[in-house]
Amino acid sequence: MSVRDIQLSAIDKLYKFDYECYLSLLNTKIDRDLWFDEDISIVNAYYHPLYNAIVIPAGILGGDFYNPEASREFNLAGIGVTVGHEVSHAFDPTGAQFDKDGNFVKWWTDKDFAAFNQRTARLIDHISSMTILEDGTKWRGSYTQDETIADIAGVKVVLKIAAKTEGFNYKDFFTSHALGWKLIATPEKISELAQTDVHPQMYLRCNAVVQLFPEFHETYGTQSGDRMYLSPERIKELEVW
């Protein structure tokens, strides 16, 4: 048996074991202490609506997201924004449909949910107007709205912290934030992600988000006519919260 055959056999057995473990949990009492992530080394974080919990695997606690030797601005731009992003998923259009115990039930008032949807609709229209590929492909705002809203929330939470921090280095923060969204990929891969990924394109997760904050424009002195510029009035129109 070749090395490849051995590897494939091992992977098949692991998937089968994993599948049988999940089957064994059917119709049993929910164990909220059960660890449900397969790989603690991945560089990722996510919100789980059924557990009403955010999961931060150890793999993300390094590099561009967290460095104990780095500045406060650097870490707030990385792991700080990430935590804010994941927490906000409990209140995005999907998370808003699950209660604190992870049950799929309505807990918002009709008035609040309608107002929230009106605000997100304006944001969706705004980002759907953006061309993301040279062939004219547009950003699919409705498909990526949950992640876009969470990206905005993560930055907004940290900027509230910044406002209470004397001498906060906004340029360091925005520069560090951009590092987290760098990506090397072929045009073909970018095109594939544009059609299949619920996350916006990486560079837009930075640019299209930070331009929604006055602090960004104050830091870099953007003016009318600049491609990143948004007027204070337009920024106000696009507020979700």
Side-chain angles (χ1 to χ4, degrees), residues 3-4 7 30 36 40 54 88 114 133 138 146 148 157-159 161 163 176 186 204-205 220 237:
V3 173
R4 180 177 175 80
Q7 291 173 330
I30 296 176
F36 45 82
I40 64 171
I54 59 172
S88 80
L133 294 174
K138 298 287 187 179
D146 286 9
T148 302
V157 167
V158 171
L159 288 178
I161 295 172
S176 300
T186 63
L204 286 172
R205 297 189 75 174
Y220 293 97
E237 289 175 356

Side-chain angles (χ1 to χ4, degrees), residues 195-224:
Q195 301 301 319
T196 62
D197 195 353
V198 296
H199 299 83
Q201 295 302 292
M202 289 294 193
Y203 72 95
L204 286 172
R205 297 189 75 174
C206 175
N207 291 8
V209 170
V210 297
Q211 72 170 173
L212 296 173
F213 295 95
E215 293 89 340
F216 171 79
H217 300 285
E218 293 166 4
T219 299
Y220 293 97
T222 61
Q223 300 178 11
S224 179

Side-chain angles (χ1 to χ4, degrees), residues 10-25 34-39:
I11 292 172
D12 182 62
K13 290 177 180 178
L14 286 171
Y15 274 116
K16 183 178 180 181
F17 174 78
D18 190 54
Y19 176 70
E20 290 176 348
C21 283
Y22 277 105
L23 281 182
S24 70
L25 298 175
L34 180 66
W35 182 252
F36 45 82
D37 206 330
E38 300 86 11
D39 186 352

Side-chain angles (χ1 to χ4, degrees), residues 12-232:
D12 182 62
K13 290 177 180 178
L14 286 171
Y15 274 116
K16 183 178 180 181
F17 174 78
D18 190 54
Y19 176 70
E20 290 176 348
C21 283
Y22 277 105
L23 281 182
S24 70
L25 298 175
L26 286 174
N27 300 317
T28 63
K29 185 177 179 180
I30 296 176
D31 180 1
R32 298 193 178 278
D33 292 325
L34 180 66
W35 182 252
F36 45 82
D37 206 330
E38 300 86 11
D39 186 352
I40 64 171
S41 66
I42 59 174
V43 179
N44 192 23
Y46 59 89
Y47 172 73
H48 200 305
L50 298 182
Y51 284 77
N52 190 26
I54 59 172
V55 181
I56 305 177
I60 200 173
L61 299 177
D64 294 330
F65 288 94
Y66 178 75
N67 181 348
E69 304 300 324
S71 69
R72 188 164 186 259
E73 288 85 354
F74 179 96
N75 286 324
L76 282 173
I79 198 64
V81 169
T82 298
V83 171
H85 171 112
E86 301 306 339
V87 170
S88 80
H89 273 312
F91 306 96
D92 66 20
T94 298
Q97 301 177 68
F98 292 84
D99 68 10
K100 64 182 179 62
D101 297 316
N103 299 309
F104 186 67
V105 296
K106 178 181 176 181
W107 61 278
W108 288 41
T109 66
D110 291 337
K111 181 180 179 180
D112 286 346
F113 199 58
F116 179 67
N117 286 333
Q118 287 176 356
R119 294 187 179 193
T120 59
R122 289 195 292 268
L123 179 64
I124 289 170
D125 288 341
H126 171 67
I127 61 180
S128 295
S129 69
M130 297 182 182
T131 301
I132 60 175
L133 294 174
E134 292 183 358
D135 62 6
T137 299
K138 298 287 187 179
W139 187 347
R140 295 190 296 165
S142 59
Y143 189 64
T144 60
Q145 66 170 325
D146 286 9
E147 295 300 329
T148 302
I149 291 170
D151 286 342
I152 295 169
V155 173
K156 186 165 188 174
V157 167
V158 171
L159 288 178
K160 285 184 175 294
I161 295 172
K164 300 178 181 179
T165 304
E166 184 177 354
F168 190 86
N169 189 328
Y170 284 92
K171 192 168 185 178
D172 192 16
F173 167 76
F174 286 118
T175 300
S176 300
H177 175 63
L179 287 175
W181 299 125
K182 63 183 185 295
L183 173 71
I184 298 175
T186 63
E188 292 78 12
K189 183 60 177 180
I190 295 296
S191 181
E192 175 193 334
L193 292 173
Q195 301 301 319
T196 62
D197 195 353
V198 296
H199 299 83
Q201 295 302 292
M202 289 294 193
Y203 72 95
L204 286 172
R205 297 189 75 174
C206 175
N207 291 8
V209 170
V210 297
Q211 72 170 173
L212 296 173
F213 295 95
E215 293 89 340
F216 171 79
H217 300 285
E218 293 166 4
T219 299
Y220 293 97
T222 61
Q223 300 178 11
S224 179
D226 293 340
R227 295 182 67 182
M228 288 286 289
Y229 178 78
L230 280 183
S231 68

